[in-house]
Amino acid sequence: MNTFEMSVQSILAHKHFQQAEVLAGHEALHRPFKWIHILETLSIETLLKGQEFILTTGIHIRQEADFLCFIDKLVACEAAGLCVELGEHIQTIPTAVIERANELAFPLMTFSDVVPFVEITQDIHRQLIHQQYELLERLERYAQTIQQLALHITSYDQLLMHLQKYLNVYVVLELQGEQPVYLPNIKKEQYATLKQQQSDQLLSKDIILMKRYYGSLSIYHLDRPLTEFDALILDRTVVTLSNYILRDLYIDQRQENENRATLTRWMQGDMTQREATQFLQEHAPKTLDKRWCAFVQSIQVQHKKEQLTYQKMFLRNTLEKNGFFCLSFEVDQYLIFLVADMWRTTDMKKRLETVVEQLRQTKPPLADDVVRMTIGIGRIVEHFHQLPDSYVTALNTVKIRKETPDISYFFEDIPLQHMVLELRKNPLLIDYAAQFLKPLLDYDALNNRQLVKTLKVYLQHNGQKKETAQALFIVRQTLYHRLDKIESFLGKDYFVGDKRLAIELMLQLLEEPV
């Protein structure tokens, strides 16, 4: 019996209930009860917790109205049933009371003789406590069994099979980004129906890893409601399953740490194509024909080693749920993920956007210690030999986004910023830009004016004066005055052709990096 409760029906087999008569609520005799309680008062609201079976002599319900009120209160308190001792205080049950109990599907029975209430409560409580002790022992044995099983199995499917056979229920495992697993693989439609109805024949428990929702494990039965014992068995299974999954993640993480030196050499260009091919053949042969890109996250934390480990596992899990295989390593406070598109669909970029959005919307583990995070995604390449290029462009994207956080995460979306980043490496170009724009810079410094800013905004708005004035929060006349001054320094042709393009690049070059 997978329950902590006896049923109202089962109490009729007790020796003192042999002569008891059921007057109402026959269809609810299967209802479980957890305790048996003696009540001789109408003030019961604070005395009951639910699922008690009530014994009474009826001393407080001699009037029909009181009896009806008593039935209503018992139902409101979720009592399991009522047995009235007929005799000194009440001789018969009014017809209206029987009808009310039937309407409420509330089991109502009577003793025709005086019975020892104390002896009944002691005996039944002894049975309940003994049954609870036995079931708690079963629960402990089950927990020990699956914990031992988890040490030897090669797939969590074996944990699910053990749960399914132990409770004789249907089992459903739903992990984010994966197809649900049904054991046995039948009656799927009934699961959807029970879930929609919030039926008592279905129980579900969330799987939480690193403070984040990872999936859920559900059990259901088509012929009986699930019990508290079923719920406790499900809970123990989820704990063991979570530990098993987390252990697998740590094992994978440890393997990646062992590959750190190799991956670092590869990305820094110190590995031949033959060595790179051999590495993937040994560690990820299914990725040889996939598209790749580098996914880099810059992160600063107070306790770097522990936090980066959690963050790597968190991000790796998110990427895998969206169809990507990952090789990861860290350099200083950069997390580098070399990402292969295992689904080989045309929406690789879209799924990477989904990953970023999930990271933004879901609070990462230990996020309170995170000072700052910046993500950059490198060029998507068709062959793994091109990964070092993607790695470089991802790092550059991170650097650019530190300066301008609101721009795209993707290298391919910000070509101008990447060109400027490369041009800044040439001091001659920086000096030339400074000399060319020196009249504006000197004027702003001496007069506390904003000619450079005005020029930038004017170019950004493609020469639209109304929009420029609004963006600068100035009146049109002030803008005209500034534009005249700019023209006097740069010439009337500063907004034309190649000269305009050169000025825009120079303005970008002279922006101070963060």
Side-chain angles (χ1 to χ4, degrees):
M1 183 187 301
N2 294 335
T3 177
F4 280 101
E5 309 96 2
M6 297 174 64
S7 68
V8 176
Q9 180 72 50
S10 67
I11 205 174
L12 295 174
H14 189 273
K15 61 182 180 180
H16 290 300
F17 282 80
Q18 295 294 319
Q19 304 303 318
E21 180 182 3
V22 180
L23 301 181
H26 293 79
E27 69 275 24
L29 292 177
H30 67 278
R31 182 176 296 161
F33 74 93
K34 293 183 177 180
W35 208 244
I36 192 164
H37 198 53
I38 302 170
L39 280 180
E40 303 292 2
T41 177
L42 277 175
S43 302
I44 66 173
E45 291 82 358
T46 60
L47 302 178
L48 301 182
K49 302 298 183 183
Q51 291 190 291
E52 296 93 347
F53 186 82
I54 308 301
L55 302 177
T56 185
T57 64
I59 189 172
H60 60 298
I61 50 175
R62 296 180 181 180
Q63 302 298 320
E64 182 177 299
D66 291 336
F67 209 145
L68 291 171
C69 178
F70 189 54
I71 294 292
D72 290 341
K73 286 186 175 183
L74 289 175
V75 172
C77 292
E78 299 182 351
L82 171 67
C83 187
V84 182
E85 180 187 86
L86 301 179
E88 180 180 356
H89 303 296
I90 187 168
Q91 288 74 43
T92 60
I93 306 298
T95 301
V97 172
I98 296 174
E99 291 176 350
R100 177 69 62 84
N102 275 322
E103 288 174 6
L104 299 173
F106 183 73
L108 173 62
M109 58 187 73
T110 59
F111 292 126
S112 57
D113 299 319
V114 175
V115 292
F117 280 6
V118 172
E119 184 177 333
I120 290 173
T121 57
Q122 288 178 340
D123 192 25
I124 292 180
H125 288 168
R126 190 180 301 113
Q127 292 182 42
L128 286 168
I129 292 171
H130 179 69
Q131 185 185 80
Q132 290 181 17
Y133 179 74
E134 286 185 342
L135 291 177
L136 286 172
E137 280 193 326
R138 289 182 60 193
L139 184 63
E140 182 61 26
R141 288 196 300 270
Y142 176 85
Q144 292 178 0
T145 299
I146 60 171
Q147 286 169 10
Q148 289 296 318
L149 181 62
L151 296 176
H152 307 291
I153 60 178
T154 56
S155 170
Y156 56 67
D157 289 351
Q158 293 168 267
L159 289 175
L160 305 183
M161 292 171 62
H162 186 77
L163 170 65
Q164 188 269 324
K165 292 178 180 178
Y166 188 83
L167 292 180
N168 189 27
V169 293
Y170 296 94
V171 177
V172 183
L173 176 65
E174 297 175 284
L175 299 180
Q176 283 189 321
E178 298 182 13
Q179 293 297 319
V181 176
Y182 294 87
L183 287 176
N185 194 26
I186 56 175
K187 308 293 185 182
K188 301 177 184 178
E189 297 79 6
Q190 286 85 339
Y191 169 68
T193 301
L194 293 173
K195 192 173 183 180
Q196 186 175 10
Q197 296 174 346
Q198 297 183 334
S199 169
D200 60 1
Q201 293 172 244
L202 168 69
L203 288 171
S204 295
K205 179 76 174 178
D206 287 346
I207 299 171
I208 305 296
L209 297 181
M210 297 176 289
K211 301 181 181 181
R212 178 175 181 260
Y213 176 80
Y214 192 89
S216 66
L217 183 64
S218 304
I219 58 175
Y220 63 101
H221 201 287
L222 301 180
D223 300 320
R224 68 171 176 87
L226 298 182
T227 65
E228 185 177 352
F229 181 73
D230 295 318
L232 290 171
I233 289 291
L234 176 63
D235 183 69
R236 297 301 190 278
T237 306
V238 167
V239 170
T240 302
L241 178 63
S242 299
N243 289 335
Y244 180 85
I245 295 173
L246 196 58
R247 185 189 72 190
D248 269 6
L249 291 174
Y250 269 111
I251 291 172
D252 291 343
Q253 185 62 52
R254 185 174 62 187
Q255 179 63 48
E256 290 180 356
N257 288 338
E258 293 173 358
N259 295 333
R260 174 181 175 180
T262 302
L263 294 173
T264 302
R265 282 200 312 116
W266 184 12
M267 292 303 104
Q268 291 178 348
D270 297 331
M271 182 184 290
T272 66
Q273 290 191 1
R274 181 178 178 181
E275 289 175 320
T277 302
Q278 184 177 353
F279 174 81
L280 283 185
Q281 285 175 337
E282 292 177 359
H283 294 86
K286 294 183 179 179
T287 66
L288 290 170
D289 63 341
K290 307 301 182 184
R291 289 181 300 175
W292 289 79
C293 73
F295 188 114
V296 175
Q297 183 177 39
S298 169
I299 182 171
Q300 299 177 13
V301 292
Q302 296 174 1
H303 307 289
K304 186 180 75 170
K305 184 176 180 180
E306 178 184 1
Q307 262 74 350
L308 288 184
T309 298
Y310 272 98
Q311 188 67 19
K312 284 176 72 174
M313 293 175 60
F314 180 80
L315 180 51
R316 176 178 175 272
N317 177 46
T318 305
L319 285 163
E320 288 182 349
K321 296 302 179 187
N322 286 276
F324 300 105
F325 170 83
C326 305
L327 293 170
S328 66
F329 63 105
E330 62 188 75
V331 177
D332 297 326
Q333 290 181 341
Y334 285 101
L335 302 182
I336 295 97
F337 287 81
L338 307 180
V339 177
D341 182 11
M342 302 308 292
W343 290 355
R344 193 63 187 182
T345 58
T346 57
D347 63 346
M348 181 177 179
K349 181 179 177 182
K350 183 176 181 181
R351 282 184 286 116
L352 287 169
E353 289 174 342
T354 300
V355 169
V356 174
E357 189 61 29
Q358 288 175 351
L359 293 176
R360 292 179 58 193
Q361 292 181 356
T362 307
K363 186 179 181 181
L366 306 177
D368 292 340
D369 295 321
V370 173
V371 177
R372 182 178 181 184
M373 295 185 298
T374 306
I375 291 172
I377 300 173
R379 182 164 63 92
I380 295 174
V381 296
E382 294 296 325
H383 197 276
F384 64 88
H385 288 320
Q386 300 169 292
L387 261 176
D389 293 336
S390 183
Y391 169 69
V392 171
T393 56
L395 287 177
N396 287 340
T397 302
V398 170
K399 293 176 183 177
I400 292 168
R401 295 198 68 252
K402 284 184 177 181
E403 298 180 26
T404 317
D406 295 332
I407 62 175
S408 173
Y409 300 93
F410 292 89
F411 157 78
E412 62 190 58
D413 292 342
I414 49 174
L416 176 61
Q417 288 81 358
H418 280 277
M419 290 177 60
V420 170
L421 185 65
E422 292 301 315
L423 292 174
R424 279 179 180 164
K425 297 176 182 178
N426 188 328
L428 293 177
L429 292 178
I430 299 293
D431 183 65
Y432 176 78
Q435 289 300 318
F436 186 86
L437 296 175
K438 188 175 185 299
L440 275 68
L441 296 170
D442 290 345
Y443 181 86
D444 283 351
L446 291 173
N447 298 282
N448 196 26
R449 299 295 178 91
Q450 297 188 3
L451 293 188
V452 173
K453 181 179 180 180
T454 301
L455 177 59
K456 288 179 184 178
V457 176
Y458 186 57
L459 292 171
Q460 288 170 359
H461 287 83
N462 201 29
Q464 299 296 316
K465 295 181 175 61
K466 178 180 179 181
E467 287 78 2
T468 302
Q470 290 174 344
L472 292 169
F473 301 103
I474 58 177
V475 298
R476 196 87 67 91
Q477 193 61 38
T478 300
L479 174 63
Y480 294 157
H481 175 73
R482 291 183 184 179
L483 293 178
D484 289 342
K485 192 57 98 173
I486 291 170
E487 184 178 303
S488 70
F489 288 135
L490 300 181
K492 293 184 178 181
D493 61 343
Y494 76 91
F495 201 78
V496 179
D498 292 345
K499 191 170 184 178
R500 171 184 171 178
L501 177 60
I503 290 172
E504 288 184 293
L505 280 174
M506 286 187 283
L507 288 170
Q508 292 275 351
L509 286 172
L510 294 181
E511 283 188 350
E512 287 294 327
V514 176

